[in-house]
């Protein structure tokens, strides 16, 4: 089952605009991660936010985490055509065992029009 | 700086054939995992390993076997290929899941079962 669910499934914006993607999850987490996937390529890690953090920045990326609502958002500011890709959230879940799993959502397809 | 290397990049099989998807990492990561990615479903965990000699099942393990004889290699075996296993397969590694480290992905193997 999917732990993280992204919203919207697809987003199309003009170059220079901001893009916001949301992720909801169901259980307690150690951290939440955002990944980017260009067409035909593997996933590339963008940013990791720990469960005790509320906001994190990396360049044009801003991630927020609300553990009370079990949700996160990824904001890409001043978007560029090169930002066109699929974006996935993934949750590192707390379990009772020694091993953990990273569970991915179904992704948001972002298209930035030049 | 090879990172995670997957071979082959593309493969076509007939129903009932077996094959091994190779995955190797040169970062001395303890945790390795295999995912499959199907349209609209994000990534689903097949098997994972927390270290050499230790493997465990993920969300969708049926029809797949893994082994971890060395830290570097984590091959995925399809025992008797079925059309339902047509997918893109990704291997990933991280120093240890649960310690706030991102995963590093290979570029994937695109597998078609006829």
């Amino acid at each position: 089952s999917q732990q993280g669910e992204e919203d919207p499934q697809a987003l199309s914006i003009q170059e220079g605009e901001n893009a916001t993607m949301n992720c909801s999850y169901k259980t307690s987490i150690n951290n939440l991660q955002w990944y980017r996937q260009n067409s035909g390529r593997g996933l590339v890690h963008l940013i990791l936010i720990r469960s005790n953090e509320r906001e994190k920045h990396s360049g044009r990326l801003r991630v927020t985490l609300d553990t009370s609502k079990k949700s996160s958002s990824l904001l890409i500011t001043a978007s560029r055509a090169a930002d066109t890709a699929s974006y996935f959230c993934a949750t590192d879940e707390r379990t009772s065992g020694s091993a953990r799993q990273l569970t991915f959502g179904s992704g948001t397809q972002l298209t930035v029009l030049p | 700086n090879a990172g995670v290397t997957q071979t082959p990049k593309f493969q076509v099989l007939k129903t009932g054939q077996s094959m091994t998807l190779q995955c190797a990492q040169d970062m001395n990561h303890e945790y390795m995992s295999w995912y499959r990615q199907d349209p609209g479903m994000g990534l689903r965990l097949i098997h994972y390993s927390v270290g050499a000699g230790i493997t465990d099942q993920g969300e969708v393990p049926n029809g797949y076997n893994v082994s971890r004889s060395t830290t570097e290699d984590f091959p995925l075996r399809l025992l008797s290929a079925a059309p339902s296993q047509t997918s893109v397969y990704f291997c990933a590694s991280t120093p240890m899941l649960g310690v706030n480290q991102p995963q590093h992905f290979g570029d994937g193997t695109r597998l078609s079962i006829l």
Side-chain angles (χ1 to χ4, degrees), chain B residues 23 32 45 58 67 81 87 107 112:
Chain B
C23 175
M32 296 185 73
L45 183 65
S67 60
S87 188
D107 280 339
S112 294

Side-chain angles (χ1 to χ4, degrees), chain B residues 76-111:
Chain B
L76 178 72
R77 297 183 188 84
L78 277 70
L79 308 174
S80 178
S84 62
Q85 293 178 305
T86 293
S87 188
V88 183
Y89 291 85
F90 289 99
C91 179
S93 74
T94 188
M96 177 53 70
L97 203 63
V99 292
N100 298 314
Q101 293 286 336
Q103 292 212 7
H104 300 258
F105 283 83
D107 280 339
T109 293
R110 285 144 187 84
L111 183 62

Side-chain angles (χ1 to χ4, degrees), chain A residues 40-72:
Chain A
R41 302 300 302 274
L43 278 72
V44 175
H45 178 259
L46 294 176
I47 197 164
L48 181 152
I49 186 165
R50 303 181 184 192
S51 60
N52 61 354
E53 297 177 313
R54 292 297 167 259
E55 187 171 315
K56 204 163 183 179
H57 296 256
S58 177
R60 294 184 296 113
L61 305 180
R62 173 178 170 256
V63 168
T64 62
L65 178 65
D66 187 334
T67 53
S68 66
K69 295 181 178 178
K70 292 186 168 55
S71 67
S72 174

Side-chain angles (χ1 to χ4, degrees), chain A residues 54-97:
Chain A
R54 292 297 167 259
E55 187 171 315
K56 204 163 183 179
H57 296 256
S58 177
R60 294 184 296 113
L61 305 180
R62 173 178 170 256
V63 168
T64 62
L65 178 65
D66 187 334
T67 53
S68 66
K69 295 181 178 178
K70 292 186 168 55
S71 67
S72 174
S73 67
L74 170 67
L75 169 67
I76 304 174
T77 60
S79 63
R80 306 165 181 168
D83 294 329
T84 294
S86 292
Y87 292 82
F88 295 88
C89 69
T91 51
D92 179 357
E93 304 169 34
R94 293 178 178 173
T95 67
S96 58

